[in-house]
Amino acid sequence: MRFSLQREAFLKPLAQVVNVVERRQTLPVLANFLVQVRQGQLSLTGTDLEVEMVARSNVEEAEDGEVTVPARKLFEIVRALPDGSKVTLTQTNEKLNIQAGRSRFTLATLPANDFPSIDEVEANERISIPEASLKELIERTAFAMAQQDVRYYLNGLLFDLQNHLLRCVATDGHRLALCETSLEQGTADSKRQIILPRKGVTELQRLLEGGDRVLELELGRNHLRVKRDDVTFTSKLIDGRFPDYAAVIPIGADREVRVDREALRAALQRAAILSNEKYRGIRVEISPGLLKINAHNPEQEEAQEEVEADTKVDDLAIGFNVNYLLDALGALREEHVIVALRDANSSALVREASSEKCRHVVMPLRL
């Protein structure tokens, strides 16, 4: 095997794949990239047996072959080379030689046959979606995933496909984030729910660049595969049943507060400084035209903020975890947001003033 390409052209696929490779492995070969050259095209594969990433690039002076090489070492070597340098890799016996200008490196290899491959995905459903839409869905919901919860199905992101809609939902039991997008007509009008694990969500989010490129999503029984012209991402799914999230979204929350998103966000950030470090609790008091935010901590320190709000609600006080409110506001885009409430013991629904595409539910906190 032999091939050459520019450092920058090599660094991009390496960077796309390297994060999938775990630093601690059960099998030595899992610390390696699978490097394959076929008909002038290079493909790099990394896997941790849960997530697999395959990145592709065109190469010059190519001789077909395949081998596995230490992933992080190869990535660090190429990253450290001077800009614009031409990199040539040649396989001899059980070594891979790397040459760029006056720099030469020799890496140990393992046979390509030892490299595990994720089973072929039998796609039950195929969805076409613009890359920017998928990126937005994940960015505006993934922060609400649980971390290492015993309810393992919460440690991931739900993809809910129904009636030409794709909806992403995440919850940790204290807050919920939901965002949806319409799919093109011609997409299978089927109903399907899958849960993508946290690592898969993180790697997919890192991979997505936005733009109008159309991605193909293949939903298999146990896998999700996302295909783009230069990269293929595959992840195992969480085998579990996601809770009925529709039941969590408050119904009859008719006491609405319309407020400037940035003004509210800034006031919450300031109040958070003096909130209890453990519970992060703040008290929100609503009266006509005004929203008051109070925070205090065990050191008897206090913060008080007032924000103008368009509301007729009178005399409602409710406690929240300030971080959950800040996360929800950070995921919204419009200048004004609506906070819909029912009473002091019910969850708040936070959304953009002109759209219900993205909705965030935050449970109240007893203070």
Side-chain angles (χ1 to χ4, degrees), residues 62-83:
E63 292 175 14
D64 288 2
E66 58 180 15
V67 72
T68 80
V69 294
R72 297 214 171 262
K73 289 176 183 171
L74 179 59
F75 173 66
E76 295 293 348
I77 286 169
V78 175
R79 188 167 68 168
L81 290 171
D83 290 352

Side-chain angles (χ1 to χ4, degrees), residues 5-56:
L5 75 173
Q6 291 296 111
R7 170 190 173 271
E8 287 70 26
F10 196 15
L11 193 57
K12 185 181 178 184
L14 287 171
Q16 286 171 333
V17 177
V18 73
N19 288 302
V20 174
V21 180
E22 293 282 354
R23 291 181 186 273
R24 295 189 182 131
Q25 302 83 16
T26 46
L27 295 167
V29 77
L30 289 178
N32 286 14
F33 286 139
L34 173 63
V35 182
Q36 296 170 300
V37 178
R38 296 267 186 284
Q39 298 173 338
Q41 189 176 64
L42 163 72
S43 74
L44 286 168
T45 307
T47 184
D48 65 353
L49 300 180
E50 294 290 321
V51 176
E52 179 187 85
M53 194 87 78
V54 184
R56 292 174 288 276

Side-chain angles (χ1 to χ4, degrees), residues 186-197:
T187 304
D189 185 15
S190 52
K191 294 191 175 183
R192 179 81 195 279
Q193 288 192 345
I194 62 168
I195 308 172
L196 188 64

Side-chain angles (χ1 to χ4, degrees), residues 28 79 82 167 170 172 215 281 314 340 355 365:
R79 188 167 68 168
R167 193 177 273 164
D172 60 7
L215 304 179
D314 195 8
S355 163
L365 195 65

